[in-house]
Amino acid sequence: MDISKDIIAGPCSVESRDQLLMTADELYSNGIKYFRAGVWKPRTKPGGFEGIGEPALEWLKEVKKTYNMKIAIEVANAEQTKLACENNIDILWIGARTTADPFAVQEIADIISNYKDKDITVLIKNPVCPDLDLWEGAYLRIKNTGVKNIGVIHRGFKVYGESKYRNEPIWRIPLDFKIKYPEVKMYCDPSHISGDKKYIEEISLTAIKTFGFDGLIIESHYNPSQAWTDAKQQIEPEDVATIVEYINKQTEKIDYDTSLLDTYRNKIDYYDTHIIYSLEERLKLSKLIGEYKRNHNMTTYQSQRWQSLLNNLINFGKEHNLDEQYIRDIWEIIHEKSIEVQK
Ligand code: PEP
Ligand code: MN
C-alpha cells in the first residue's frame, strides 16, 4: 500500500496491552505508519468506559518502539497534555468537545508552548457544533504557542434529530477553513462522521478526491465487534488498507496533454473579460439614465421597464440554453447595482 496522503489509523480507545499490540501489528503489516488510540475518553454521558489513562502510555511507547509508528492520542486538559509530551507522544489531537471550550484549549496551549521545540504535531478537530469561529479560535490559540506542525481534522457536526450520519459533514465549513488557512493540513475523520462502518469508504473518497484533503484518521480495531467504544464504526486493519487502495486507484494520476484544457481556459478568460467590459459600459449608461431621470423628475425604479427587460432576457436566454433561474439570479444583481448607481 502506498498513498501520498497521511493515513492515521488505530482503535477508538486503548483497552488492553494485547488489544493495542494486536491492532498495531495488523495495521503495521498493512502499511500504516501513524497509529491513533484514545487514552482518556470524553464520554457524552457518565457511566461508560472513560479510558485506561496513564498506564496506556507505556503500551503506546511499546507500539512506537516495536513498529516505528508515530503515535497519536487525544488530550483534553493541561495534565493530559503534559503527560503526552513527557512520554514522547508524536501527535496530540484536540477532540471535538474540547475545541468547543476556549478555556480548555488555552490550558492545553499553555502547556504545549513549553514543548514547542520538540517534534510534536497538534491536530485540532472541529468543534461539535457547526461553528467555524470556534474552530479557527482553537487553531489560533495553538498557533500562538509557536509549535511548528499543526493540522485540523474534520469530524462532522452534531445536528439534532434524525440523520444519515452520526455527525453531518457540512463540507462547506472545512472548505471555508481551507480557503482562510490554505497552509494548514486538513484531515478527515470518516469514522466519527459516519458512525457506521458502511459509510467510511464514501466519506473518505469525498474528502480526498472531491475536496483534496491531505489525510485521513480512521478508527480500526483487530476485532471491531468487541470494541469497548464506537464498535459500530471501527473497521479491521485490512479494511483500512482496502479503502486506501481504492482511493489510490480513484485518484491515480493519468498523464494527459494539458493543451486542450489550456485552450478551454483561455476561451473562458476571453469571455470573462468581455463580461467585465459589458458591465462597465452598462454602468456608464445607468449613470446617464440616472441623470436623465433626475432632470425629468422621474422615479428611479421603473417596475414595468424592469419586468419587460427581465422577461425579454429570460426568453432570449432560453433560446441560448440558459435557464430562467440563472438569468434571474444574474440580472437581479445587475439591476440592483444599476438602481444604486442611478440614485
Ligand atoms: C475520538 O477520536 O475517539 C473522539 C472522541 O473523537 P471526537 O472528538 O471527534 O468525538
Ligand atoms: Mn471514537
Side-chain angles (χ1 to χ4, degrees), residues 11-13 36-38 40-44 74 93-99 125-126 128 153-156 166-167 189 191-193 217 219 229-230 233:
C12 177
S13 312
R36 65 147 281 158
W40 299 277
K41 297 304 298 177
R43 306 314 299 269
T44 302
E74 172 173 353
W93 87 77
I94 297 180
R97 291 156 196 78
T98 310
T99 303
K125 286 201 174 193
N126 65 259
V128 268
I153 303 173
H154 171 41
R155 53 76 80 195
R166 179 178 177 188
N167 292 294
D189 173 347
S191 310
H192 289 89
I193 291 177
I217 174 165
E219 284 190 341
T229 54
D230 287 348
Q233 71 194 30

Side-chain angles (χ1 to χ4, degrees), residues 94-107:
I94 297 180
R97 291 156 196 78
T98 310
T99 303
D101 176 359
F103 288 127
V105 175
Q106 191 55 52
E107 159 178 332

Side-chain angles (χ1 to χ4, degrees), residues 17-295:
R17 180 176 171 273
D18 281 357
Q19 168 251 11
L20 204 64
L21 289 168
M22 259 141 88
T23 306
D25 188 74
E26 287 184 31
L27 284 168
Y28 174 78
S29 17
N30 279 289
I32 297 297
K33 300 184 179 71
Y34 301 91
F35 185 75
R36 65 147 281 158
V39 170
W40 299 277
K41 297 304 298 177
R43 306 314 299 269
T44 302
K45 288 180 180 158
F49 172 60
E50 299 199 332
I52 297 280
E54 202 176 335
L57 296 173
E58 287 308 315
W59 306 333
L60 284 166
K61 281 199 257 184
E62 207 177 323
V63 169
K64 181 171 166 152
K65 205 164 151 208
T66 313
Y67 301 105
N68 196 25
M69 289 198 274
K70 299 250 187 231
I71 308 293
I73 70 167
E74 172 173 353
V75 293
N77 60 31
E79 192 195 336
Q80 294 169 9
T81 308
K82 191 158 187 288
L83 280 167
C85 293
E86 288 297 326
N87 283 281
N88 297 323
I89 296 295
D90 307 282
I91 303 165
L92 316 186
W93 87 77
I94 297 180
R97 291 156 196 78
T98 310
T99 303
D101 176 359
F103 288 127
V105 175
Q106 191 55 52
E107 159 178 332
I108 293 167
D110 291 342
I111 300 296
I112 287 177
S113 58
N114 300 329
Y115 296 91
K116 65 171 188 295
D117 297 323
K118 266 187 134 177
D119 187 21
I120 52 169
T121 297
V122 183
L123 302 178
I124 304 140
K125 286 201 174 193
N126 65 259
V128 268
C129 51
D131 184 340
L132 178 60
D133 287 333
L134 263 179
W135 197 5
E136 201 184 327
Y139 163 67
L140 294 174
R141 284 176 201 278
I142 298 302
K143 189 169 181 237
N144 287 341
T145 64
V147 73
K148 282 177 254 353
N149 305 314
I150 310 178
V152 293
I153 303 173
H154 171 41
R155 53 76 80 195
F157 304 90
K158 191 85 203 160
V159 295
Y160 192 61
E162 282 294 302
S163 82
K164 174 176 170 185
Y165 302 117
R166 179 178 177 188
N167 292 294
E168 280 299 315
I170 322 183
W171 294 100
R172 209 188 129 187
I173 299 177
L175 297 179
D176 281 347
F177 193 105
K178 223 163 136 62
I179 289 170
K180 211 152 175 197
Y181 302 102
E183 71 284 7
V184 179
K185 267 195 175 182
M186 175 79 68
Y187 292 79
C188 178
D189 173 347
S191 310
H192 289 89
I193 291 177
S194 306
D196 187 316
K197 60 171 108 257
K198 66 177 180 246
Y199 303 128
I200 290 179
E201 186 171 271
E202 72 174 58
I203 293 286
S204 302
L205 188 66
T206 303
I208 302 285
K209 184 168 182 173
T210 310
F211 298 121
F213 277 44
D214 303 293
L216 300 169
I217 174 165
I218 302 177
E219 284 190 341
S220 175
H221 191 292
Y222 81 98
N223 186 3
S225 66
Q226 297 306 306
W228 296 1
T229 54
D230 287 348
K232 253 178 88 181
Q233 71 194 30
Q234 301 210 54
I235 57 176
E236 287 177 29
E238 63 176 8
D239 293 337
V240 176
T242 308
I243 288 175
V244 172
E245 263 157 38
Y246 172 68
I247 292 174
N248 267 339
K249 237 190 154 72
Q250 295 291 316
T251 54
E252 214 166 20
K253 291 265 179 298
I254 300 167
D255 274 341
Y256 56 88
D257 175 6
T258 59
S259 62
L260 187 58
L261 184 63
D262 291 341
T263 309
Y264 294 151
R265 285 183 169 160
N266 286 338
K267 283 193 176 173
I268 288 262
D269 291 347
Y270 168 83
Y271 286 111
D272 281 346
T273 314
H274 280 265
I275 291 173
I276 295 282
Y277 286 150
S278 300
L279 289 174
E280 184 191 21
E281 291 307 317
R282 197 184 191 286
L283 270 190
K284 283 185 196 159
L285 289 167
S286 294
K287 264 186 199 145
L288 294 175
I289 289 180
E291 272 167 37
Y292 183 93
K293 285 179 180 166
R294 245 194 322 279
N295 293 338

